[in-house]
Amino acid sequence: MTDASSDSARTAAPRAGGRAGSWQLDPARSVIAIRHKTMWGLVNVKGTFTEVSGQGEILADGSAHGGLSISAASVDTGNARRDTHLRSADFFDADRNPSIVFTALRVTPGADGTAEVNGDLTARGLTRPLAFSARVTEAATGGVTVAAEVVIDRGRYAMTWNKLGMITGPATVTVTACFTREQP
């Protein structure tokens, strides 16, 4: 005879797939990209952040927590003038708020390679809760890649600059985060 808690522990541990432990973001293989409609919805501005770091921990039950830190000044849209404007107080205010930080408080795995992510996003010194779905796109003994597309209302982070109403709708952030296992 077994009790429910020991059954639960036995079935949860395999969900972590032997991946329980500490993980470090591999910035060379990770991409944080943004896109936002401008010119009254006619043009998508796209860019990436070139400096990102992070870490995470997968627990024995398969759940996880961790964080990503992005250098706000590392935004690169391929247009130097636009990048300077995005770094300014009109948008990221990178001089006063050098980092955009997402703290994953709880990542709960699903049965189909997805996960529900709940945490806090801090940008421009403002912290707001953020929840989204992610999916594991690659899982191996030494590495895990997680991908997500997150829609963000920039107004919640005091990024309200919008000359002549040119910028429409929310921003979309696409995350491909590759983590490698930390060696004990």
Side-chain angles (χ1 to χ4, degrees), residues 72-95:
S74 76
V75 66
D76 182 2
T77 65
N79 179 309
R81 186 173 169 195
R82 179 175 40 230
D83 294 347
T84 298
H85 190 205
L86 288 171
R87 293 177 187 117
S88 78
D90 287 341
F91 291 96
F92 296 117
D93 198 10
D95 286 341

PDB file of all heavy atoms in Angstrom, residues 72-95:
ATOM      1  N   ALA A  72      18.867  47.136 -21.160  1.00  0.00           N
ATOM      2  CA  ALA A  72      17.972  47.990 -21.948  1.00  0.00           C
ATOM      3  C   ALA A  72      18.733  48.728 -23.046  1.00  0.00           C
ATOM      4  O   ALA A  72      18.202  48.963 -24.134  1.00  0.00           O
ATOM      5  CB  ALA A  72      17.258  48.980 -21.040  1.00  0.00           C
ATOM      6  N   ALA A  73      19.979  49.073 -22.782  1.00  0.00           N
ATOM      7  CA  ALA A  73      20.787  49.795 -23.765  1.00  0.00           C
ATOM      8  C   ALA A  73      21.236  48.914 -24.923  1.00  0.00           C
ATOM      9  O   ALA A  73      21.749  49.416 -25.919  1.00  0.00           O
ATOM     10  CB  ALA A  73      22.000  50.421 -23.086  1.00  0.00           C
ATOM     11  N   SER A  74      21.035  47.617 -24.822  1.00  0.00           N
ATOM     12  CA  SER A  74      21.496  46.712 -25.881  1.00  0.00           C
ATOM     13  C   SER A  74      20.470  46.518 -26.995  1.00  0.00           C
ATOM     14  O   SER A  74      20.681  45.712 -27.890  1.00  0.00           O
ATOM     15  CB  SER A  74      21.896  45.356 -25.282  1.00  0.00           C
ATOM     16  OG  SER A  74      20.754  44.583 -24.940  1.00  0.00           O
ATOM     17  N   VAL A  75      19.368  47.284 -26.967  1.00  0.00           N
ATOM     18  CA  VAL A  75      18.360  47.143 -28.016  1.00  0.00           C
ATOM     19  C   VAL A  75      18.978  47.503 -29.365  1.00  0.00           C
ATOM     20  O   VAL A  75      19.712  48.481 -29.494  1.00  0.00           O
ATOM     21  CB  VAL A  75      17.088  47.986 -27.724  1.00  0.00           C
ATOM     22  CG1 VAL A  75      17.365  49.477 -27.759  1.00  0.00           C
ATOM     23  CG2 VAL A  75      15.962  47.607 -28.658  1.00  0.00           C
ATOM     24  N   ASP A  76      18.712  46.675 -30.367  1.00  0.00           N
ATOM     25  CA  ASP A  76      19.272  46.873 -31.702  1.00  0.00           C
ATOM     26  C   ASP A  76      18.199  46.593 -32.742  1.00  0.00           C
ATOM     27  O   ASP A  76      17.792  45.448 -32.921  1.00  0.00           O
ATOM     28  CB  ASP A  76      20.464  45.943 -31.901  1.00  0.00           C
ATOM     29  CG  ASP A  76      21.133  46.111 -33.259  1.00  0.00           C
ATOM     30  OD1 ASP A  76      20.704  46.983 -34.061  1.00  0.00           O
ATOM     31  OD2 ASP A  76      22.083  45.361 -33.534  1.00  0.00           O
ATOM     32  N   THR A  77      17.738  47.659 -33.407  1.00  0.00           N
ATOM     33  CA  THR A  77      16.738  47.511 -34.465  1.00  0.00           C
ATOM     34  C   THR A  77      17.349  47.654 -35.854  1.00  0.00           C
ATOM     35  O   THR A  77      16.639  47.603 -36.846  1.00  0.00           O
ATOM     36  CB  THR A  77      15.621  48.565 -34.317  1.00  0.00           C
ATOM     37  OG1 THR A  77      16.174  49.869 -34.521  1.00  0.00           O
ATOM     38  CG2 THR A  77      14.945  48.466 -32.965  1.00  0.00           C
ATOM     39  N   GLY A  78      18.675  47.882 -35.892  1.00  0.00           N
ATOM     40  CA  GLY A  78      19.327  48.097 -37.173  1.00  0.00           C
ATOM     41  C   GLY A  78      19.259  49.544 -37.634  1.00  0.00           C
ATOM     42  O   GLY A  78      19.672  49.862 -38.740  1.00  0.00           O
ATOM     43  N   ASN A  79      18.736  50.432 -36.785  1.00  0.00           N
ATOM     44  CA  ASN A  79      18.633  51.852 -37.109  1.00  0.00           C
ATOM     45  C   ASN A  79      19.150  52.621 -35.891  1.00  0.00           C
ATOM     46  O   ASN A  79      18.472  52.689 -34.862  1.00  0.00           O
ATOM     47  CB  ASN A  79      17.174  52.210 -37.416  1.00  0.00           C
ATOM     48  CG  ASN A  79      16.975  53.667 -37.745  1.00  0.00           C
ATOM     49  OD1 ASN A  79      17.402  54.545 -37.011  1.00  0.00           O
ATOM     50  ND2 ASN A  79      16.292  53.917 -38.850  1.00  0.00           N
ATOM     51  N   ALA A  80      20.359  53.190 -36.005  1.00  0.00           N
ATOM     52  CA  ALA A  80      21.016  53.833 -34.854  1.00  0.00           C
ATOM     53  C   ALA A  80      20.166  54.955 -34.262  1.00  0.00           C
ATOM     54  O   ALA A  80      20.082  55.094 -33.039  1.00  0.00           O
ATOM     55  CB  ALA A  80      22.391  54.352 -35.263  1.00  0.00           C
ATOM     56  N   ARG A  81      19.538  55.746 -35.091  1.00  0.00           N
ATOM     57  CA  ARG A  81      18.719  56.855 -34.579  1.00  0.00           C
ATOM     58  C   ARG A  81      17.530  56.333 -33.780  1.00  0.00           C
ATOM     59  O   ARG A  81      17.212  56.831 -32.705  1.00  0.00           O
ATOM     60  CB  ARG A  81      18.263  57.714 -35.752  1.00  0.00           C
ATOM     61  CG  ARG A  81      17.532  58.945 -35.335  1.00  0.00           C
ATOM     62  CD  ARG A  81      17.269  59.829 -36.513  1.00  0.00           C
ATOM     63  NE  ARG A  81      16.339  60.874 -36.155  1.00  0.00           N
ATOM     64  CZ  ARG A  81      15.715  61.621 -36.996  1.00  0.00           C
ATOM     65  NH1 ARG A  81      15.913  61.473 -38.291  1.00  0.00           N
ATOM     66  NH2 ARG A  81      14.877  62.539 -36.578  1.00  0.00           N
ATOM     67  N   ARG A  82      16.855  55.318 -34.309  1.00  0.00           N
ATOM     68  CA  ARG A  82      15.722  54.724 -33.595  1.00  0.00           C
ATOM     69  C   ARG A  82      16.189  54.076 -32.296  1.00  0.00           C
ATOM     70  O   ARG A  82      15.545  54.204 -31.254  1.00  0.00           O
ATOM     71  CB  ARG A  82      15.000  53.709 -34.477  1.00  0.00           C
ATOM     72  CG  ARG A  82      13.827  53.052 -33.762  1.00  0.00           C
ATOM     73  CD  ARG A  82      13.012  52.116 -34.638  1.00  0.00           C
ATOM     74  NE  ARG A  82      13.803  51.313 -35.513  1.00  0.00           N
ATOM     75  CZ  ARG A  82      13.570  51.194 -36.839  1.00  0.00           C
ATOM     76  NH1 ARG A  82      12.591  51.840 -37.415  1.00  0.00           N
ATOM     77  NH2 ARG A  82      14.327  50.412 -37.566  1.00  0.00           N
ATOM     78  N   ASP A  83      17.338  53.385 -32.330  1.00  0.00           N
ATOM     79  CA  ASP A  83      17.859  52.739 -31.124  1.00  0.00           C
ATOM     80  C   ASP A  83      18.161  53.764 -30.040  1.00  0.00           C
ATOM     81  O   ASP A  83      17.858  53.536 -28.859  1.00  0.00           O
ATOM     82  CB  ASP A  83      19.108  51.920 -31.445  1.00  0.00           C
ATOM     83  CG  ASP A  83      18.812  50.732 -32.348  1.00  0.00           C
ATOM     84  OD1 ASP A  83      17.627  50.386 -32.525  1.00  0.00           O
ATOM     85  OD2 ASP A  83      19.777  50.163 -32.896  1.00  0.00           O
ATOM     86  N   THR A  84      18.730  54.898 -30.415  1.00  0.00           N
ATOM     87  CA  THR A  84      18.991  55.966 -29.448  1.00  0.00           C
ATOM     88  C   THR A  84      17.681  56.451 -28.842  1.00  0.00           C
ATOM     89  O   THR A  84      17.596  56.673 -27.625  1.00  0.00           O
ATOM     90  CB  THR A  84      19.748  57.127 -30.128  1.00  0.00           C
ATOM     91  OG1 THR A  84      21.008  56.627 -30.589  1.00  0.00           O
ATOM     92  CG2 THR A  84      19.978  58.276 -29.164  1.00  0.00           C
ATOM     93  N   HIS A  85      16.648  56.596 -29.667  1.00  0.00           N
ATOM     94  CA  HIS A  85      15.343  57.032 -29.152  1.00  0.00           C
ATOM     95  C   HIS A  85      14.749  55.974 -28.217  1.00  0.00           C
ATOM     96  O   HIS A  85      14.205  56.310 -27.167  1.00  0.00           O
ATOM     97  CB  HIS A  85      14.389  57.336 -30.302  1.00  0.00           C
ATOM     98  CG  HIS A  85      13.137  58.003 -29.858  1.00  0.00           C
ATOM     99  ND1 HIS A  85      11.971  57.926 -30.576  1.00  0.00           N
ATOM    100  CD2 HIS A  85      12.836  58.747 -28.764  1.00  0.00           C
ATOM    101  CE1 HIS A  85      11.014  58.603 -29.944  1.00  0.00           C
ATOM    102  NE2 HIS A  85      11.520  59.106 -28.838  1.00  0.00           N
ATOM    103  N   LEU A  86      14.856  54.704 -28.556  1.00  0.00           N
ATOM    104  CA  LEU A  86      14.334  53.639 -27.690  1.00  0.00           C
ATOM    105  C   LEU A  86      15.061  53.594 -26.341  1.00  0.00           C
ATOM    106  O   LEU A  86      14.451  53.278 -25.319  1.00  0.00           O
ATOM    107  CB  LEU A  86      14.429  52.277 -28.382  1.00  0.00           C
ATOM    108  CG  LEU A  86      13.457  52.053 -29.533  1.00  0.00           C
ATOM    109  CD1 LEU A  86      13.787  50.759 -30.274  1.00  0.00           C
ATOM    110  CD2 LEU A  86      12.024  52.048 -29.041  1.00  0.00           C
ATOM    111  N   ARG A  87      16.333  53.943 -26.324  1.00  0.00           N
ATOM    112  CA  ARG A  87      17.102  53.966 -25.069  1.00  0.00           C
ATOM    113  C   ARG A  87      16.766  55.184 -24.205  1.00  0.00           C
ATOM    114  O   ARG A  87      17.059  55.205 -23.016  1.00  0.00           O
ATOM    115  CB  ARG A  87      18.597  53.957 -25.373  1.00  0.00           C
ATOM    116  CG  ARG A  87      19.074  52.666 -25.988  1.00  0.00           C
ATOM    117  CD  ARG A  87      20.563  52.724 -26.337  1.00  0.00           C
ATOM    118  NE  ARG A  87      20.922  51.541 -27.070  1.00  0.00           N
ATOM    119  CZ  ARG A  87      21.375  51.529 -28.328  1.00  0.00           C
ATOM    120  NH1 ARG A  87      21.569  52.658 -28.979  1.00  0.00           N
ATOM    121  NH2 ARG A  87      21.651  50.392 -28.923  1.00  0.00           N
ATOM    122  N   SER A  88      16.149  56.199 -24.806  1.00  0.00           N
ATOM    123  CA  SER A  88      15.886  57.468 -24.124  1.00  0.00           C
ATOM    124  C   SER A  88      14.745  57.346 -23.114  1.00  0.00           C
ATOM    125  O   SER A  88      14.083  56.314 -22.999  1.00  0.00           O
ATOM    126  CB  SER A  88      15.534  58.542 -25.156  1.00  0.00           C
ATOM    127  OG  SER A  88      14.183  58.384 -25.592  1.00  0.00           O
ATOM    128  N   ALA A  89      14.496  58.459 -22.410  1.00  0.00           N
ATOM    129  CA  ALA A  89      13.421  58.508 -21.406  1.00  0.00           C
ATOM    130  C   ALA A  89      12.044  58.328 -22.033  1.00  0.00           C
ATOM    131  O   ALA A  89      11.087  58.005 -21.324  1.00  0.00           O
ATOM    132  CB  ALA A  89      13.482  59.818 -20.639  1.00  0.00           C
ATOM    133  N   ASP A  90      11.906  58.488 -23.348  1.00  0.00           N
ATOM    134  CA  ASP A  90      10.615  58.254 -24.009  1.00  0.00           C
ATOM    135  C   ASP A  90      10.213  56.773 -23.970  1.00  0.00           C
ATOM    136  O   ASP A  90       9.023  56.463 -24.028  1.00  0.00           O
ATOM    137  CB  ASP A  90      10.657  58.699 -25.477  1.00  0.00           C
ATOM    138  CG  ASP A  90      10.646  60.201 -25.648  1.00  0.00           C
ATOM    139  OD1 ASP A  90      10.252  60.915 -24.698  1.00  0.00           O
ATOM    140  OD2 ASP A  90      11.032  60.664 -26.744  1.00  0.00           O
ATOM    141  N   PHE A  91      11.209  55.886 -23.893  1.00  0.00           N
ATOM    142  CA  PHE A  91      10.923  54.455 -23.911  1.00  0.00           C
ATOM    143  C   PHE A  91      11.588  53.749 -22.722  1.00  0.00           C
ATOM    144  O   PHE A  91      11.077  53.777 -21.629  1.00  0.00           O
ATOM    145  CB  PHE A  91      11.328  53.833 -25.255  1.00  0.00           C
ATOM    146  CG  PHE A  91      10.449  54.287 -26.383  1.00  0.00           C
ATOM    147  CD1 PHE A  91      10.822  55.345 -27.197  1.00  0.00           C
ATOM    148  CD2 PHE A  91       9.226  53.684 -26.612  1.00  0.00           C
ATOM    149  CE1 PHE A  91      10.002  55.784 -28.219  1.00  0.00           C
ATOM    150  CE2 PHE A  91       8.383  54.110 -27.643  1.00  0.00           C
ATOM    151  CZ  PHE A  91       8.786  55.170 -28.440  1.00  0.00           C
ATOM    152  N   PHE A  92      12.734  53.105 -22.948  1.00  0.00           N
ATOM    153  CA  PHE A  92      13.346  52.274 -21.908  1.00  0.00           C
ATOM    154  C   PHE A  92      14.042  53.066 -20.800  1.00  0.00           C
ATOM    155  O   PHE A  92      14.305  52.521 -19.734  1.00  0.00           O
ATOM    156  CB  PHE A  92      14.325  51.268 -22.525  1.00  0.00           C
ATOM    157  CG  PHE A  92      13.659  50.266 -23.420  1.00  0.00           C
ATOM    158  CD1 PHE A  92      13.966  50.208 -24.769  1.00  0.00           C
ATOM    159  CD2 PHE A  92      12.714  49.388 -22.918  1.00  0.00           C
ATOM    160  CE1 PHE A  92      13.346  49.284 -25.598  1.00  0.00           C
ATOM    161  CE2 PHE A  92      12.092  48.463 -23.737  1.00  0.00           C
ATOM    162  CZ  PHE A  92      12.405  48.416 -25.080  1.00  0.00           C
ATOM    163  N   ASP A  93      14.389  54.316 -21.042  1.00  0.00           N
ATOM    164  CA  ASP A  93      15.075  55.142 -20.052  1.00  0.00           C
ATOM    165  C   ASP A  93      16.295  54.394 -19.503  1.00  0.00           C
ATOM    166  O   ASP A  93      16.490  54.238 -18.295  1.00  0.00           O
ATOM    167  CB  ASP A  93      14.122  55.542 -18.922  1.00  0.00           C
ATOM    168  CG  ASP A  93      14.618  56.726 -18.123  1.00  0.00           C
ATOM    169  OD1 ASP A  93      15.607  57.369 -18.546  1.00  0.00           O
ATOM    170  OD2 ASP A  93      14.030  57.007 -17.072  1.00  0.00           O
ATOM    171  N   ALA A  94      17.121  53.929 -20.436  1.00  0.00           N
ATOM    172  CA  ALA A  94      18.232  53.036 -20.103  1.00  0.00           C
ATOM    173  C   ALA A  94      19.269  53.663 -19.176  1.00  0.00           C
ATOM    174  O   ALA A  94      19.909  52.943 -18.408  1.00  0.00           O
ATOM    175  CB  ALA A  94      18.903  52.534 -21.377  1.00  0.00           C
ATOM    176  N   ASP A  95      19.420  54.981 -19.214  1.00  0.00           N
ATOM    177  CA  ASP A  95      20.395  55.610 -18.311  1.00  0.00           C
ATOM    178  C   ASP A  95      19.986  55.444 -16.852  1.00  0.00           C
ATOM    179  O   ASP A  95      20.824  55.177 -15.995  1.00  0.00           O
ATOM    180  CB  ASP A  95      20.550  57.099 -18.627  1.00  0.00           C
ATOM    181  CG  ASP A  95      21.348  57.333 -19.903  1.00  0.00           C
ATOM    182  OD1 ASP A  95      22.077  56.415 -20.335  1.00  0.00           O
ATOM    183  OD2 ASP A  95      21.239  58.442 -20.466  1.00  0.00           O
TER     184      ASP A  95
END
